[in-house]
Amino acid sequence: MAFKGVLRPGLIQIRVLNMDEAINHYQNILGLNIVSTEADGRVYLKGWDEFDHHSVVLRQAESAGLDYVAFKVDSNDYLREIEPKIVAWGLEVDHVPAGEQPGVGPRIGFTLPTGHRIELYHQIDMADDHPGITNPDIYPRRPEGMGASRFDHLLCYGPNIGKAREFFCEVLDFYQPEKVDLPEGDGSLAIWLTASNKAHDIAFVEHEEPGKLHHVAFLLQDWNEVGAAADIISINDVSLDIGPTRHGITRGQTIYFFDPSGNRNEVYAGGYTAYPDHPVRSWDFDHVGKGIFYYERALNDRFLTVLT
Amino acid sequence: MRHRVTIENCNETYPCSEQQTLLQGMEQLGKRGIPVGCRGGGCGICRVQVTSGSFLKAKMSRSVISEADESKRIVLACRCTPTSDLSISVVGKMEKALRAECQIEPEDEVSVAAVG
Ligand SMILES: [Fe+2]
């Protein structure tokens, strides 16, 4: 197997202000399926094309935003071997016991210099309601709502994104398909990082306040599904941010909107296939508008200021 | 029932029903200077202080509206609905943009001009 180590962002825990409103949004609008609701009130969901037990965890809290994102790794050996490397790079590692989330084995966690908590895990049960395996149909039944097939990536805002890039690339073997340069100096305003063939698994924008969430993205099949998602947003009076449009960066087709607690969501289709030997695509600061919103060719204020 | 909401920063008044949030009503004004954020009480962009009148409020993210804010009737326009005519003052990030839209000079510049 050529694809080793970190496989993908597999779990994300999001804080919501009102659980009933959040369930309606993630289940009926995005089209995720509820896997379980636990005694502590957390609700577990997954997309129709995900094999693992769940991918999205909703937690009711006093503030909206991101608790953590957890990356699935290919083995228990990797999980054991990576821990001292993380510590050697300078981050403190803590341990989350198996069963803290239903169906999930032990996790390790640490906080990036950007203020975001990242976790790694290997073991997770297969979902009962998983995609077909033997003579598989294309999907088990027609998905609800937008029919988001899986949790795809996230964009984080925080300080020291250059350090985050160093950590992901040097310790976890990610690479950087794309970046936006700061107007002056060698630093980056924004970086796109991946452990896979996807143009990004996680992205960062340099920002004063640590630990902020810009958006959580879910995968759609194509431009038609992005259009249908826009219809669903209007039919249900969901708070729209921008789109349907396209990103110059990653080339993804996209629409941004907000969950009822103000966490930004994206549904995303397309995007190029990344390889670690490709050159890093770079955008200078003067072209960032086109990079982010390819059709509008201008950033809006909301992209830089509206965060949870 | 419809109420009148006055934005004190720019002397603009708009109608707002009890089924509408203060922000939804304000959005209908169609001014570019109304920086609409998430509309869900999470991001804190639409901070306003209610200076008179009564209203109902839904849950707002504690990271953007503190208990001290709430005791001063500083709230998020996207999470409040009017139950009477209201006067509000836009505070925080919305203020500058709105003032620019209404072409009202920033207070500090006005005072400098007055001194000069
Ligand atoms: Fe995205």
Side-chain angles (χ1 to χ4, degrees):
Chain A
M1 185 175 68
F3 185 3
K4 286 186 176 301
V6 177
L7 301 177
R8 61 176 167 276
L11 302 172
I12 188 163
Q13 184 164 308
I14 303 164
R15 295 189 300 271
V16 299
L17 300 177
N18 178 301
M19 187 57 81
D20 291 338
E21 290 174 10
I23 287 173
N24 178 58
H25 177 85
Y26 286 92
Q27 182 176 238
N28 300 327
I29 305 295
L30 272 157
L32 304 180
N33 298 317
I34 293 184
V35 178
S36 73
T37 300
E38 297 297 313
D40 67 1
R42 281 183 294 174
V43 175
Y44 297 81
L45 305 100
K46 70 181 277 294
W48 64 266
D49 207 15
E50 292 178 303
F51 286 96
D52 288 344
H53 186 269
H54 61 267
S55 57
V56 173
V57 186
L58 303 176
R59 180 172 76 85
Q60 186 167 306
E62 294 307 301
S63 304
L66 174 71
D67 274 341
Y68 53 83
V69 61
F71 290 85
K72 187 175 185 180
V73 304
D74 68 354
S75 64
N76 286 322
D77 286 346
Y78 181 89
L79 198 59
R80 205 168 34 244
E81 286 158 15
I82 199 68
E83 181 173 344
K85 294 179 188 166
I86 297 167
V87 172
W89 192 82
L91 300 181
E92 209 172 300
V93 174
D94 62 74
H95 296 81
V96 183
E100 195 275 335
Q101 290 186 16
V104 181
R107 299 161 8 221
I108 63 172
F110 45 87
T111 302
L112 295 174
T114 58
H116 299 88
R117 179 176 170 83
I118 304 289
E119 294 185 351
L120 303 174
Y121 67 100
H122 170 61
Q123 283 167 260
I124 182 166
D125 290 350
M126 188 175 314
D128 292 335
D129 185 16
H130 59 71
I133 295 172
T134 306
N135 308 317
D137 277 311
I138 53 164
Y139 45 70
R141 60 187 177 280
R142 206 153 167 79
E144 299 289 320
M146 297 176 181
S149 63
R150 66 157 192 247
F151 163 43
D152 190 82
H153 66 265
L154 75 162
L155 172 56
C156 299
Y157 273 45
N160 311 307
I161 68 168
K163 295 296 283 179
R165 170 171 50 206
E166 186 186 314
F167 174 78
F168 275 102
C169 295
E170 290 178 8
V171 182
L172 299 182
D173 279 332
F174 280 55
Y175 61 101
Q176 176 182 246
E178 206 143 359
K179 66 180 170 68
V180 176
D181 300 328
L182 285 171
E184 318 224 314
D186 302 332
S188 299
L189 170 69
I191 56 174
W192 282 258
L193 304 173
T194 189
S196 68
N197 256 171
K198 288 152 61 186
H200 57 330
D201 284 324
I202 188 168
F204 291 90
V205 168
E206 186 72 30
H207 181 73
E208 207 169 48
E209 207 181 337
K212 303 301 279 184
L213 173 67
H214 186 274
H215 68 266
V216 181
F218 299 89
L219 188 68
L220 296 182
Q221 303 296 300
D222 55 30
W223 188 231
N224 284 342
E225 286 199 353
V226 175
D231 294 338
I232 289 167
I233 285 169
S234 281
I235 291 166
N236 295 283
D237 210 15
V238 173
S239 176
L240 176 71
D241 186 11
I242 190 168
T245 184
R246 187 172 193 138
H247 296 306
I249 297 162
T250 75
R251 296 191 208 144
Q253 295 154 330
T254 180
I255 183 164
Y256 283 138
F257 51 101
F258 296 98
D259 81 4
S261 307
N263 298 303
R264 191 187 278 95
N265 292 163
E266 174 183 32
V267 285
Y268 175 96
Y272 55 72
T273 304
Y275 284 95
D277 63 315
H278 286 176
V280 178
R281 295 166 167 92
S282 290
W283 296 77
D284 58 47
F285 190 74
D286 297 337
H287 293 81
V288 64
K290 194 173 181 181
I292 302 291
F293 298 125
Y294 193 67
Y295 298 150
E296 294 78 4
R297 282 165 277 164
L299 272 187
N300 59 16
D301 276 350
R302 277 210 292 269
F303 188 85
L304 292 172
T305 57
V306 174
L307 308 167
T308 54
Chain B
M1 188 175 172
R2 283 181 138 209
H3 301 292
R4 306 288 307 168
V5 180
T6 303
I7 309 172
E8 292 182 344
N9 318 58
C10 61
N11 265 326
E12 193 69 65
T13 300
Y14 63 89
C16 193
S17 82
E18 296 194 351
Q19 281 72 48
Q20 267 182 319
T21 67
L22 298 179
L23 185 65
Q24 282 170 336
M26 212 183 303
E27 277 193 65
Q28 299 303 314
L29 277 174
K31 285 196 175 294
R32 271 181 307 135
I34 297 166
V36 177
C38 69
R39 306 185 188 86
C43 76
I45 292 292
C46 61
R47 267 169 90 91
V48 298
Q49 183 165 30
V50 180
T51 49
S52 72
S54 59
F55 60 98
L56 298 174
K57 60 188 174 189
K59 191 172 172 183
M60 295 166 280
S61 195
R62 251 310 158 241
S63 59
V64 294
I65 294 289
S66 67
E67 284 173 45
D69 287 335
E70 278 194 66
S71 69
K72 286 183 281 186
R73 310 222 304 171
I74 293 175
V75 292
L76 300 180
C78 70
R79 299 296 270 177
C80 295
T81 51
T83 53
S84 77
D85 287 357
L86 286 183
S87 277
I88 63 173
S89 176
V90 172
V91 293
K93 283 177 185 164
M94 284 185 72
E95 190 190 4
K96 225 165 72 184
L98 242 193
R99 244 186 353 217
E101 177 74 12
C102 306
Q103 294 175 327
I104 294 172
E105 306 253 309
E107 271 166 41
D108 49 354
E109 284 182 29
V110 171
S111 61
V112 167
V115 169

